[in-house]
Amino acid sequence: MNTNSGAFKMFLLGLMVLQNSSVVLVGRYSRDSQSAEALYVVNHLILLTEAMKFFFSNCLEFYTTGGKLATSIKENIIDVPLDALKIIVPSLLYLCQNSLLYVALSNLTAPMFQVTYQSKLLTTAVVSVIMLQRRYSVKQWICLASLGVGVAFVVLGADGSKDEEAVDEDKPEQNMSTGLTAVTIACFCSAFAGVYFEKVLKKPTTDGNVKKQPVSLWMRNIQMAFFSVIIAIINQYRMTGPDAEKPFLHGFNGYVWAVAFLQAGGGLLVAAVIKYADNVLKGLATGVSVVTSTILSMLLFGTPLSTQFVVGAAVILASVFFFSNDIPGEKKTKKGGEADEEMQKPLVDPSK
């Protein structure tokens, strides 16, 4: 298949929409469909997901290096351990972000989560200006301001139109304030981790006094997943409370395994979009996935939507789309006039 063709880019768009929508809906259902006693431990899910990412990234590095995975590990990890240790910072931040996102999914409806999580665009832009000296156009700043207004509109509308609902004592208690706080902190974690990862990814490594090419995306993902697994294992032994008594993979059913595969594959998918498409496609996929998950949430979970929510969501999606059309804005150039290549970490995709 021609990777530069419109058909291939539409294929990537479809996959991104499917992944973004599915991970929110399935993740929400996996947290809401079980009683507190039968509910799985988030740290177990994160540990499994990061182990999958580690395996997949090794496979891709093996493929892209023509079978020279061992050589790549020696050159990029064993020979330069201090450079590899830099990835501990985004690993910690992404682990914190992923934990908070499941807290948010446990306390917010799928549409509310999808819409409010778009605030990560605002936090990432601010952090990019501070850490990368990136400059954005006036139009982009207007979009960011509009995004903040849209989020406030959605949240205030949801808070003002909450109806009393029957509480199922067997299920975990839901609290919108807790969910919104988790989303807010997750947005900042995503911003700092993504910008830091981008900075490390583009910076050439040194071997003595000789500069080397920047480490590949897959090798950085190998390092990040490795540290994330180690941190998750440490968290497992430090865990207290009811979750500490649950055995590994407790409460894992088909839906939880689906979330693990969706999360692990999501990071690889965003990397493919970055490589073969552009940020406009990412922005479009974000908008379509929010609309898709909102409609499916209404049909599957009976989630009510107010007019204020719809208006606020429209403002947010329009802001994301028009902002993305200008990414990366004005950027500093290297010597010789060559601009840095735009590279973003998902966010759960996040991604992530």
Side-chain angles (χ1 to χ4, degrees):
M1 181 181 287
N2 182 8
T3 56
N4 292 321
S5 67
F8 181 73
K9 292 183 179 180
M10 289 303 296
F11 174 70
L12 289 178
L13 172 63
L15 285 181
M16 277 207 71
V17 171
L18 181 63
Q19 192 273 341
N20 289 344
S21 302
S22 299
V23 74
V24 172
L25 292 171
V26 179
R28 165 69 177 169
Y29 183 77
S30 71
R31 300 296 294 173
D32 191 49
S33 61
Q34 294 179 300
S35 64
E37 190 68 28
L39 195 62
Y40 62 90
V41 181
V42 170
N43 193 67
H44 293 173
L45 177 61
I46 292 175
L47 177 57
L48 179 65
T49 301
E50 294 303 325
M52 288 181 179
K53 287 181 183 178
F54 181 75
F55 174 75
F56 293 150
S57 296
N58 271 280
C59 292
L60 288 165
E61 181 70 8
F62 180 86
Y63 174 77
T64 55
T65 57
K68 298 180 180 179
L69 175 62
T71 302
S72 180
I73 291 175
K74 180 180 182 302
E75 291 177 352
N76 297 303
I77 298 178
I78 298 175
D79 292 347
V80 284
L82 293 179
D83 179 73
L85 286 174
K86 295 176 183 177
I87 303 301
I88 289 180
V89 175
S91 298
L92 280 167
L93 288 169
Y94 278 127
L95 197 69
C96 178
Q97 171 201 339
N98 288 333
S99 300
L100 288 168
L101 291 184
Y102 287 105
V103 173
L105 280 172
S106 300
N107 290 278
L108 300 174
T109 63
M112 174 65 76
F113 171 80
Q114 280 273 56
V115 168
T116 53
Y117 192 50
Q118 301 312 309
S119 301
K120 65 184 178 181
L121 183 63
L122 175 59
T123 56
T124 301
V126 173
V127 175
S128 294
V129 170
I130 296 172
M131 293 183 63
L132 299 179
Q133 291 79 51
R134 181 164 290 154
R135 297 188 295 273
Y136 294 105
S137 66
V138 174
K139 171 187 156 185
Q140 287 177 301
W141 284 114
I142 293 174
C143 289
L144 291 173
S146 300
L147 187 147
V149 172
V151 170
F153 205 64
V154 166
V155 172
L156 292 175
D159 187 57
S161 61
K162 280 194 300 183
D163 297 321
E164 293 185 3
E165 298 179 354
V167 178
D168 190 340
E169 296 181 356
D170 291 332
K171 294 183 179 180
E173 183 181 353
Q174 296 183 3
N175 185 293
M176 193 174 80
S177 297
T178 301
L180 293 175
T181 301
V183 166
T184 302
I185 300 175
C187 286
F188 279 101
C189 288
S190 174
F192 281 108
V195 172
Y196 182 94
F197 185 76
E198 177 183 347
K199 191 172 184 178
V200 171
L201 192 67
K202 293 177 181 177
K203 187 177 180 180
T205 56
T206 56
D207 187 4
N209 294 324
V210 180
K211 282 191 175 182
K212 299 166 59 178
Q213 288 296 318
V215 180
S216 73
L217 175 63
W218 303 126
M219 177 51 66
R220 287 302 189 193
N221 278 329
I222 288 173
Q223 296 168 354
M224 188 178 301
F226 174 78
F227 289 125
S228 295
V229 168
I230 298 300
I231 296 168
I233 291 174
I234 294 172
N235 283 344
Q236 183 64 31
Y237 283 101
R238 294 178 61 253
M239 193 177 297
T240 59
D243 284 350
E245 304 299 324
K246 295 179 179 179
F248 187 61
L249 301 185
H250 171 82
F252 270 58
N253 53 28
Y255 293 106
V256 184
W257 281 100
V259 172
F261 277 102
L262 286 168
Q263 288 278 45
L268 307 181
L269 178 59
V270 172
V273 171
I274 292 171
K275 183 174 182 180
Y276 296 114
D278 52 33
N279 284 287
V280 177
L281 183 67
K282 284 179 63 182
L284 182 59
T286 298
V288 176
S289 63
V290 170
V291 174
T292 302
S293 61
T294 298
I295 294 173
L296 290 176
S297 183
M298 291 173 61
L299 297 175
L300 298 176
F301 306 138
T303 304
L305 297 180
S306 65
T307 302
Q308 191 164 340
F309 178 94
V310 174
V311 173
V315 172
I316 292 169
L317 295 180
S319 300
V320 170
F321 179 78
F322 287 113
F323 179 92
S324 298
N325 272 299
D326 278 344
I327 285 180
E330 297 177 29
K331 300 182 64 176
K332 288 189 173 181
T333 57
K334 301 175 183 177
K335 291 182 179 179
E338 182 184 356
D340 285 340
E341 180 185 358
E342 177 68 12
M343 184 66 70
Q344 296 182 2
K345 182 72 171 63
L347 282 61
V348 107
D349 243 146
S351 134
K352 311 173 304 15

